[in-house]
């Protein structure tokens, strides 16, 4: 396999997930940066050639384009221990990945983006009105993870899977959105455990 | 395989996806109903025994519980033609399923739920403020599907996959949320195509 190209905004946890998966499975990625604050993923060229949805990350494989971070992780980790073979464990891994996109990312990642990149002063009136609900939902997501991680070392089974990678991406930088992880000791231990795995790379690597 | 139990609210498209997948692969499901308008998935019993996240659907397999509709579909369709074997096609199927949960369901399903079940008069001030954005995002999702379905009969490859099932669930009832499908002719043809597949069951079956 050669010339996989990641279209990305490097500080995005969704983009980092793909780099972290690639590092674990030993697949090199070329990287092309887009400044989403300048609308560089909403240009006619990007919409026409990379992703009609106007979003990054997109993993490009020759002439094929694969949007959606968690789908790209599954592509990269095909046939590796990051994806359980057991039928239930495989579905349970996907359960955490769908939960990440529905209940974790729209809260924890969005609050981080609004506070750290957009800035609270620049939020729209609607965004400002939505902020308390997103903060509460982000804490609910962290509490759910913390309860689960009190019973198991990794999210699914006894080893690292894509479920851990998908959820590590924004959880370990939740503090950048103002989420204090102090009340979630099992999450903090799990963050250290994931970061200690062989092959790990940091979000700013 | 026996005694699979679907914890559900039958009119939910997320629950219907699982029944539709089960019908296609010939797996019988027992069904238990919860009235989400009465908070029946937020009781201590439900949170403790079925899903700490307080959401349906949950697919129960003996003592194991699998939340997240699309994960349950993958479990049921394991080893069937509904899941492509080819590495890219498999990831591309998941791409549409993650997109469904991130960009389609939170708009089209939420607007349907607010308008048809909650009722616009009973919406909170914040929900009312969010409604125009969700309607616009829902139309953007339909437009993206329509452009893609102008080039291909099914979302991935040349046959029905879980990507079609996941997106059919809320798309074919989008009108119940006030989304007129008239401007999306390829979506309308695709809806008829999915409904004509052998093994299809209706949402109210």
């Amino acid at each position: 396999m050669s010339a996989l190209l990641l279209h990305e905004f490097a500080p995005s946890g969704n983009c980092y997930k793909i780099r972290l998966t690639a590092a674990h499975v030993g697949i090199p990625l070329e990287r092309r940066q887009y400044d989403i604050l300048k609308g560089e993923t909403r240009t006619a060229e990007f919409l026409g050639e990379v992703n009609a949805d106007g979003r990054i990350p997109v993993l490009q494989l020759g002439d094929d384009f694969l949007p959606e971070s968690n789908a790209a992780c599954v592509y990269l980790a095909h046939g590796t221990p990051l994806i359980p073979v057991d039928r239930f464990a495989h579905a349970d891994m996907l359960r955490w990945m769908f939960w990440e996109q529905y209940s974790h990312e729209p809260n924890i990642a969005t609050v981080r983006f609004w506070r750290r990149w957009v800035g609270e002063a620049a939020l729209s009136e609607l965004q400002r009105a939505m902020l308390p609900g997103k903060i509460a939902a982000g804490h609910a997501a962290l509490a759910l993870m913390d309860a689960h991680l009190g019973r198991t070392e990794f999210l699914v089974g006894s080893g690292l899977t894509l479920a851990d990678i998908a959820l590590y991406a924004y959880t370990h930088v939740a503090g950048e959105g103002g989420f204090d992880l102090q009340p979630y000791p099992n999450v903090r231990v799990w963050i250290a455990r994931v970061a200690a795995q062989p092959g790990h790379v940091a979000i700013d690597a």
Side-chain angles (χ1 to χ4, degrees), chain A:
Chain A
M1 196 182 310
S2 70
L4 291 191
L5 173 59
L6 179 60
H7 300 266
E8 68 161 349
F9 172 64
S12 152
N14 284 329
C15 300
Y16 169 52
K17 280 175 204 174
I18 299 175
R19 301 195 305 271
L20 181 51
T21 301
H24 274 292
V25 300
I27 295 177
L29 294 179
E30 294 179 20
R31 300 165 60 177
R32 184 172 302 166
Q33 302 301 318
Y34 298 83
D35 188 338
I36 55 177
L37 292 162
K38 293 181 180 163
E40 291 181 357
T41 64
R42 310 282 167 153
T43 65
E45 187 186 353
F46 186 91
L47 295 172
E49 294 178 14
V50 182
N51 186 5
D53 202 28
R55 294 179 185 276
I56 45 88
V58 175
L59 183 63
Q60 182 178 350
L61 311 97
D63 293 333
D64 290 323
F65 294 84
L66 187 59
E68 300 299 323
S69 58
N70 288 344
C73 291
V74 169
Y75 180 85
L76 291 172
H78 177 80
T80 77
L82 292 178
I83 301 180
V85 173
D86 173 79
R87 182 175 179 172
F88 183 80
H90 181 99
D92 202 32
M93 175 198 80
L94 290 172
R95 164 261 183 118
W96 285 106
M97 295 172 81
F98 282 111
W99 180 81
E100 188 263 341
Q101 286 289 288
Y102 196 86
S103 297
H104 186 286
E105 201 269 8
N107 301 306
I108 292 174
T110 298
V111 170
R112 171 178 176 254
F113 183 71
W114 286 357
R115 284 181 157 169
R116 182 170 172 137
W117 275 276
V118 180
E120 284 202 48
L123 293 180
S124 72
E125 192 181 338
L126 178 57
Q127 287 170 329
R128 214 182 308 273
M130 291 168 70
L131 195 54
K134 285 189 176 287
I135 291 170
H139 277 292
L142 292 167
L144 189 143
M145 288 177 69
D146 198 64
H148 183 73
L149 289 167
R151 298 187 293 270
T152 173
E153 293 202 346
F154 294 94
L155 287 165
V156 178
S158 57
L160 186 78
T161 71
L162 292 183
D164 300 292
I165 289 175
L167 278 156
Y168 177 83
Y170 284 110
T171 303
H172 87 294
V173 292
E176 297 179 3
F179 291 97
D180 179 7
L181 295 181
Q182 201 58 34
Y184 312 109
N186 301 313
V187 168
R188 286 186 282 113
V189 168
W190 166 83
I191 285 174
R193 189 178 293 128
V194 172
Q197 298 298 301
H200 185 80
V201 292
I203 193 169
D204 56 0

